[in-house]
Amino acid sequence: MKTYEDMTKWIDRREEILHHGQTIGFVPTMGALHAGHVSLIKNARAECDFVVVSIFVNPTQFNSKEDLESYPRNLSADLALLDSLEVDAVLTPTEAEIYSDKFRFKITETQHSELLCGAYRPGHFTGVLTVVAKLLGLTQAHRCYMGEKDYQQYLLVHDMVHALNIRSEIIACPTAREESGLAMSSRNARLSSDGRNKAALIYKYISEATSCKEASDKLAENGFDVDYVEEHWGRRFVAASIENVRLIDNVKI
Ligand code: PAF
């Protein structure tokens, strides 16, 4: 495990440590690691010489205190898993380290971030973009691996690095799914077994319905509280809650 300070020192000696052409792969996470994170880390391990994973439950991307407080946390299990995956450095910064500026500086995107989750979670993507920019600055990663489940997030981070000339390549990895089709998510841990079975309907309906309205209606009939089913960028997106757990997913159309 590396502290924020270790990481800063390591990065200062980057030229000495990294031999010519070696690369740093980075997987930013909020912990409660699952098979989706494992597949991101395996991709990073296969393609990069050093793999850095961060675990930081970023308060600025939560727009409800209750959601932040109930976000699953499982640091000791996460660290054991990362050890077994031969990750080179795990970064678990504190809020004071990440937000030493007290969130005076923020990165706000003004178009794509207004759609979908941005419309339902005001300020969410400003929190995400700001923390990812800080983490990319800290790790100086050549490659950063993100899941397609959060496709809007991936797209915004991808566009941000271009806009800000951050020298990291953002790589989208396919959504890891349970056998039922349910997209792997840390939030699934908050569902009862019945809720988990029902949650598989999200993938079923967005894949099978002939329109967004049909998918949305079917989810509502099955007890979901649907925020949206919409199509953008050649994909169909959904956000819907069951047992007060908000889940998102998307498929290519
Ligand atoms: O996808 C997540 O877990 C988070 O939004 C991220 C990218 C780690 C930023 O806090």
Side-chain angles (χ1 to χ4, degrees), residues 28-30 56 58 61 128 131-132 146 150 153:
T29 83
M30 298 206 297
F56 177 63
N58 174 33
Q61 70 187 75
V128 170
V131 81
V132 174
M146 306 194 84
D150 299 292
Q153 165 174 281

Side-chain angles (χ1 to χ4, degrees), residues 17 34 71 85 97 144 152 165-166 213 230 237 250:
I17 294 167
H34 51 69
Y71 198 81
L85 293 169
E97 285 165 338
C144 170
Q152 187 180 16
N165 300 315
I166 296 174
K213 184 168 183 318
E230 286 178 31
F237 292 83
N250 69 88

Side-chain angles (χ1 to χ4, degrees), residues 103-148:
F103 204 30
R104 262 197 316 137
F105 295 92
K106 302 180 188 192
I107 297 173
T108 298
E109 193 272 358
T110 55
Q111 282 184 14
H112 298 340
S113 64
E114 314 250 304
L115 304 168
L116 304 170
C117 282
Y120 285 84
R121 303 181 69 190
H124 168 68
F125 286 118
T126 292
V128 170
L129 293 176
T130 306
V131 81
V132 174
K134 284 170 182 272
L135 291 168
L136 290 175
L138 183 63
T139 58
Q140 301 276 302
H142 298 88
R143 296 167 144 244
C144 170
Y145 294 81
M146 306 194 84
E148 282 186 351

Side-chain angles (χ1 to χ4, degrees), residues 180-183 195-205 219 224 247:
S180 65
L182 173 64
R196 218 175 168 107
N197 290 338
K198 273 219 159 145
L201 293 174
I202 293 180
Y203 178 61
K204 176 178 161 62
Y205 291 140
L219 287 170
F224 287 85
L247 301 169

